[in-house]
């Protein structure tokens, strides 16, 4: 009797499998197919279904095929147990015609992608069973559902076949892992829903999508044009472009590695983690770099492939340097273009401001990670005064803010930057932004604020964005802040427009973290320059 939960199910129909095992010694000597007994190319469909008649009158032209050279043996597939007769006495050998005839029933355990066959579940290769249901509506494997073949499912009987071929019935685990290789850890297979049944299942539409992925005609595309296309693509587009074929993936990996190694020193170090951002009560996934590693972002430490690391770098750039204005306007590639930009504005010096108006160099930078145009606080500082050392206690009493000066001189023309604070300081002062003046006097270097504006946390938001504009010809400084309702940059009031006196020296944009903000681990400050088109967006 048939048991739907049996763990010793035979590969073929019970009668056919019993007959095959009885003649296994004869098949080994003749090298014939275990199903149709074909050795010379003559192929009998009637033998496959269980008839032993040798009368040629019972055959028709559609029931067998004959090779032009009868001495040449047809192509055969053997399982991994073949040749190991001591421990595995019943290996499987089938011809290509039998595999093709069995495509709609699935009695032969065969991978539809790489073509490997197996005699049973313990043959050495693990096969995943294709099913017509998704994981959320898992109905169980073929055996637990009481079905004898895949043709009993309506999906596998549907005509016409997709891409002109019957649907795949099984696929090996190695091919399934290839599906998930570039999907950032996404697994498409799942286990049967029935108790004590560990059979793996995979949806049919996923297998068919990966199985018939057409290769890109690289021979028709000039090398120079292909390089230009690949260099223009963003992280996600590079990822999908690399899935076309192996040759294209190698090209994409080479380009991704070049971009990562050229610009990874401008972003925080890993390890990276995916976190949820509750910005404006909207669940948003973001990539956060902790800044603990000594090395910059790279593969395989921060991703399985270089294109995966580049995708993370694009997301980190989008979150740190604030590209919501351009992205909401339809410019999804703004972050990647900025990442590949060579002449970006960067933080150059770390200064401190105490109780007086003087700004002096600051050397206790152990709790900060300043890379490119961003600063990340990597440890808690100046909290729990009873645990502070004497030097940190003196620092806390003397330092009122940490000032980060940029490396770009404000000469003739109009200069604009966007400053982003990501701080966990509810109702506290974030710091200040403005223009620093640096003069060289006989007594030494003098650094002061030419014009500055204090910034505070707005409506208990973690992300606060401000804009600065300086017209060097008119010597006018303007301060902008984000309107939480319209999400637009508006002139700050009061004191949004200030005139910078002509007192000589070099002028640079600068942003400061207050003592409270600079002492909280995870707080971040960034700056990026904007052209006219980006500012209008």
């Amino acid at each position: 009797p048939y048991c739907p939960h049996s763990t010793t199910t035979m590969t073929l129909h019970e009668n056919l499998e019993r007959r095959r095992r009885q003649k296994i010694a004869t098949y080994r000597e003749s090298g014939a197919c275990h199903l149709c007994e074909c050795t010379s190319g003559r192929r009998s469909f009637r033998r496959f279904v269980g008839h032993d008649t040798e009368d040629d009158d019972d055959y028709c032209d559609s029931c067998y095929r004959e090779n032009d050279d009868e001495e040449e043996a047809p192509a055969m597939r053997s399982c991994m147990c073949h040749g190991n007769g001591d421990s595995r006495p019943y290996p499987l050998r089938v011809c290509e015609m039998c595999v093709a005839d069995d495509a709609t029933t699935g009695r032969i355990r065969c991978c539809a992608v790489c073509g490997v066959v197996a005699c049973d579940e313990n043959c050495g290769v693990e096969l995943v069973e294709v099913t017509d249901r998704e994981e959320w509506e898992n109905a169980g494997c073929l055996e637990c559902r009481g079905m004898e073949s895949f043709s009993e499912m309506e999906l596998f009987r549907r005509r016409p076949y997709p891409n002109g071929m019957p649907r795949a019935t099984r696929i090996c685990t190695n091919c399934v892992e290839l599906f998930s290789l570039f999907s950032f850890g996404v697994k498409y297979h799942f286990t049967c829903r029935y108790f004590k049944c560990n059979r793996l299942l995979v949806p049919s539409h996923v297998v068919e999508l990966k199985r018939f992925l057409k290769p890109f005609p690289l021979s028709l595309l000039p090398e120079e044009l292909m390089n230009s296309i690949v260099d223009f693509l963003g992280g996600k587009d590079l990822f999908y472009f690399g899935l076309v074929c192996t040759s294209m993936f190698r090209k994409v990996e080479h380009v991704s590695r070049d971009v990562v190694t050229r610009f990874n020193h401008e972003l925080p170090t890993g390890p990276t983690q995916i976190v949820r951002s509750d910005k404006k009560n909207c669940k948003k996934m973001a990539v956060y770099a902790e800044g603990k590693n000594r090395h910059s972002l790279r593969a395989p430490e921060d991703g399985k492939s270089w294109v995966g690391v580049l995708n993370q770098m694009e997301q980190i750039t989008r979150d740190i340097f604030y590209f919501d204005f351009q992205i909401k306007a339809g410019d999804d590639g703004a972050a990647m273009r900025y990442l590949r930009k060579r002449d970006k504005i960067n933080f150059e010096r770390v200064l401190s401001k105490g109780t007086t108006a003087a700004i002096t160099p600051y050397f206790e930078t152990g709790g900060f990670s300043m890379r490119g145009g961003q600063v990340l606080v990597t440890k808690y500082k100046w909290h729990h005064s009873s645990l502070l050392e004497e030097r940190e206690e003196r620092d806390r009493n003397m330092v009122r803010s940490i000032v980060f000066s940029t490396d770009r001189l404000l000469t003739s023309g109009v200069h604009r930057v966007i400053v982003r604070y990501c701080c966990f300081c509810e109702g506290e002062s974030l710091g200040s932004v403005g223009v620093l003046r640096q003069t060289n006097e006989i007594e030494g270097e003098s650094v002061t604020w030419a014009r500055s504006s204090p910034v505070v946390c707005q409506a208990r938001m973690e992300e606060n964005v401000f804009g600065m504009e300086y017209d060097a010809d008119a010597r006018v400084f303007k301060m902008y802040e984000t309107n939480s309702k319209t999400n637009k940059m508006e002139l700050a009031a009061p004191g949004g427009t200030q005139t910078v006196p002509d007192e000589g020296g070099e002028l640079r944009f600068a942003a400061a973290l207050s003592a409270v903000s600079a002492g909280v681990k995870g707080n971040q400050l960034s700056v990026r320059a904007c052209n006219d088109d980006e500012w209008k967006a």
Side-chain angles (χ1 to χ4, degrees), residues 138-309:
N138 186 357
C141 63
L142 190 71
E143 183 179 354
C144 293
R145 293 165 69 175
M147 298 181 180
E148 182 182 358
S149 65
F150 288 87
S151 59
E152 297 184 32
M153 299 183 191
E154 193 274 334
L155 178 66
F156 290 87
R157 296 195 308 266
R158 192 175 299 168
R159 301 292 192 279
Y161 293 125
N163 301 288
M165 295 179 61
R167 289 182 175 268
T169 56
R170 291 181 180 88
I171 183 173
C172 65
T173 54
N174 294 332
C175 294
V176 173
E177 291 176 357
L178 287 178
F179 294 172
S180 305
L181 179 60
F182 315 113
S183 301
F184 306 103
V186 177
K187 293 184 178 180
Y188 297 102
H189 55 281
F190 49 90
T191 57
C192 176
R193 64 187 293 264
Y194 284 94
F195 184 63
K196 293 185 178 182
C197 182
N198 298 321
R199 185 163 293 148
L200 297 178
L201 305 174
V202 63
S204 178
H205 69 89
V206 174
V207 178
E208 297 304 316
L209 178 63
K210 302 293 184 177
R211 182 185 176 195
F212 294 101
L213 194 62
K214 301 299 182 182
F216 191 81
L218 298 177
S219 58
L220 303 179
L221 189 64
E223 183 71 17
E224 295 80 5
L225 180 58
M226 185 176 66
N227 294 340
S228 301
I229 293 175
V230 173
D231 292 338
F232 180 77
L233 297 177
K236 289 185 177 180
D237 294 331
L238 276 174
F239 161 69
Y240 291 118
F241 201 61
L243 295 181
V244 172
C245 62
T246 305
S247 302
M248 186 56 65
F249 178 73
R250 292 175 181 174
K251 179 66 179 178
V252 168
E253 276 289 275
H254 177 74
V255 173
S256 301
R257 180 173 183 175
D258 180 63
V259 176
V260 170
T261 54
R262 279 193 291 128
F263 301 108
N264 57 1
H265 65 279
E266 301 175 355
L267 297 177
T269 62
T272 58
Q273 57 178 333
I274 300 177
V275 297
R276 290 185 179 273
S277 176
D278 295 335
K279 184 172 60 175
K280 294 185 179 180
N281 298 324
C282 179
K283 296 296 184 180
K284 173 185 174 183
M285 302 303 296
V287 180
Y288 173 71
E290 299 182 12
K292 296 181 180 179
N293 295 340
R294 295 184 177 180
H295 59 80
S296 302
L297 297 176
R298 65 187 183 187
E301 288 86 351
D302 301 295
K304 295 181 180 179
S305 59
W306 288 101
V307 66
V309 176

Side-chain angles (χ1 to χ4, degrees), residues 461-524:
M461 295 175 59
E462 296 178 2
E463 185 179 61
N464 296 269
V465 182
F466 305 93
M468 291 189 292
E469 178 182 301
Y470 177 68
D471 188 348
D473 300 330
R475 309 193 67 83
V476 175
F477 170 76
K478 295 182 179 181
M479 168 74 176
Y480 296 84
E481 58 185 10
T482 307
N483 189 321
S484 59
K485 296 182 179 179
T486 62
N487 198 29
K488 296 290 185 180
M489 282 288 188
E490 298 179 354
L491 191 65
T497 303
Q498 305 178 44
T499 301
V500 178
D502 187 6
E503 299 178 356
E506 298 177 347
L507 300 180
R508 288 182 172 88
F509 282 126
L513 286 173
S514 64
V516 176
S517 301
V520 179
K521 179 181 178 181
N523 286 354
Q524 198 166 32

Side-chain angles (χ1 to χ4, degrees), residues 360-371:
T360 58
Y362 186 71
F363 302 102
E364 300 295 332
T365 58
F368 305 100
S369 173
M370 186 177 70
R371 298 166 66 92

